[in-house]
Amino acid sequence: MCDAQKEPATSTAPPAVQFINVTKQFGSLVVLKNLNLSVTRGEKVALIGPSGSGKTTLLRTLMTLEPIDGGVIEVDGEAFTHERIGGHLVPAREAHIRRIRGKIGMVFQQFNLFPHMTALKNIIEAPVHVLGQSREEATDRAVSLLRKVGLIDRKDHYPSQLSGGQQQRVAIARALAMRPKVMLFDEVTSALDPELVHEVLQVMRQLGEEQDLTMLIVTHQMGFAAEVADRVCFFSEGSILEQGPPEVIFHTPAHERTRAFLRAVLDA
Amino acid sequence: MAASIVSIVVATIAGIAQLSGNRLVRWIAIGYVEVFRGTSLLVQLFWLFFVLPNFGIKLNAFIVAILALGLNNGAYGSEVVRGSIVAIPRSQIEAAIALNMPPALRMRRIILPQALMTMLLPWGNLLIILLKGTALVSLITIQDLAFQTYNLNVLTFQTLQLYGLSLVLYFVMAQGIALVIRALYRRVSHGITRGAF
């Protein structure tokens, strides 16, 4: 259905993320249908498509927020959902899942900052308590991340004292503080007022320039996808209908379904 | 005071245990809540004080009072704890999972601090009810405020003054609890705007 169309960075390196025949159902509703997707290290992939087509679910299964019903998800060539013990693949234990999950960061549509913590504390919480960093080390890193997202002057503000765009930038900094290899962005500008979208996209553009960071971006911002993504995957009804470089998908899509979607989105 | 601490500790454990993935743990917690909530505090006091000695367990009246008041109040409190925890939006837990926090850390650092804000005000109610429940412990020989008032009244017949004073003392203690709870609420809700998340 959908295999990587571009060559991996090196022929020996395993893909950063690989979905192999992944199926996910909610009751009788099939959300992901035998989905295959291979993302190379450092690749920026935009996932576009109508609501309910499975884009967000794909990110959520990769973040282990939803269990999958079939297939395998691999990160850096290691199965996430299964582990190899004594030559056999068995369902993964919590320790294995946590080890692999440590390579992934996620930013949510609704920011999901911890409301009882300031911006700075939101960022250092996991590095201190999960990675075991000292408070000083975590704070230094948090301060430099807050500078990067342009919010150093808001470090002691609580989420309720920040605008949506500022909260989302803190959320990006919070995810980056865990030094993930793969970042997942789930419609991160959809909940923002139009004038705040720009500041968040600006931060993501900067991230897009980081060679080693793999990014999977679910977005309705087609201009942004065209600008940042190496590859665009168009989702329809739980599978990837077509994919390719942005200039191909946006200008000469092969499928009528893709054309109809792009017309609807660009006219809106 | 000691009964309040027993009550809060038991309520927190039972409240979390009721949400446990382990069926046995959940059932034990639910059983405790239903038994202690569903029977009279007075009967629980009498059971611990008069019936347990028949099984060879003899407890000091003071310990019985702390246990009965604490366990009885804790049963109500555990529902407050449980309710406050399940009211935390799923998105908060997902954010914590995405930061690779293990379940115990999520509970301790993310869920409970937020749930605390929701549970504090109902806890004020429960602790005041507990305070007034102490009037019952005179029935197992403890000389509490109600008991002392009754004794002094028998000796002096200054009914209006004595029961008036008793009323004022209960009220002042209850106000003390309410003040502490309000101060704590202000502290834990600092920076959080309700309904924003």
Side-chain angles (χ1 to χ4, degrees), chain A residues 60 63-65 94 98 101-102 104 106 108 112-117 125-126 129-130 158-160 167 174-175 178, chain B residues 90-103 105-106 108-110 113-114 188 190-193 196-197:
Chain A
R60 290 175 59 82
M63 196 70 256
T64 67
L65 299 176
E94 180 67 17
R98 288 197 57 222
R101 189 162 56 200
I104 305 171
M106 184 163 181
F108 298 87
N112 301 357
L113 291 180
F114 305 130
H116 57 302
M117 296 179 186
E125 180 67 19
H129 293 281
V130 177
Y158 283 88
S160 63
Q167 287 187 56
R174 180 175 71 172
M178 296 297 280
Chain B
R90 173 82 195 149
S91 57
Q92 286 288 305
I93 298 160
E94 292 185 347
I97 294 173
L99 291 167
N100 216 1
M101 295 186 182
L105 185 67
R106 297 202 291 265
R108 189 164 58 81
R109 301 284 308 175
I110 307 302
Q114 293 184 59
V188 299
H190 179 67
I192 306 180
T193 306
F197 294 90

Side-chain angles (χ1 to χ4, degrees), chain A residues 148 172 176 185 203-210 215:
Chain A
K148 184 172 183 167
I172 292 172
L176 289 173
F185 295 90
V203 169
M204 289 174 65
R205 270 186 203 101
Q206 282 178 44
L207 289 180
E209 287 160 15
E210 292 187 15
M215 291 165 72

Side-chain angles (χ1 to χ4, degrees), chain B residues 24-89:
Chain B
L24 181 66
V25 171
R26 207 164 58 228
W27 282 2
I28 290 172
I30 292 171
Y32 152 70
V33 170
E34 294 306 337
V35 167
F36 277 85
R37 201 173 53 164
T39 58
S40 142
L41 171 58
L42 187 63
V43 177
Q44 289 162 19
L45 276 168
F46 284 178
W47 250 86
L48 292 177
F49 195 65
F50 297 119
V51 181
L52 279 190
N54 293 337
F55 299 99
I57 304 170
K58 235 183 147 83
L59 296 171
N60 166 304
F62 204 68
I63 301 287
V64 166
I66 291 171
L67 275 181
L69 287 168
L71 289 173
N72 181 274
N73 208 258
Y76 291 96
S78 81
E79 289 292 272
V80 171
V81 171
R82 185 173 72 98
S84 308
I85 290 174
V86 297
I88 300 299

Side-chain angles (χ1 to χ4, degrees), chain B residues 11 13 27 30 33 35 40 54 61 78 80 101-102 116 134 142 153 157 161 171 182 184:
Chain B
I13 295 170
W27 282 2
I30 292 171
V33 170
V35 167
S40 142
N54 293 337
S78 81
V80 171
M101 295 186 182
L116 188 60
T134 57
I142 294 179
N153 186 38
F157 293 105
Q161 291 88 335
F171 181 76
R182 246 176 265 146
L184 281 174

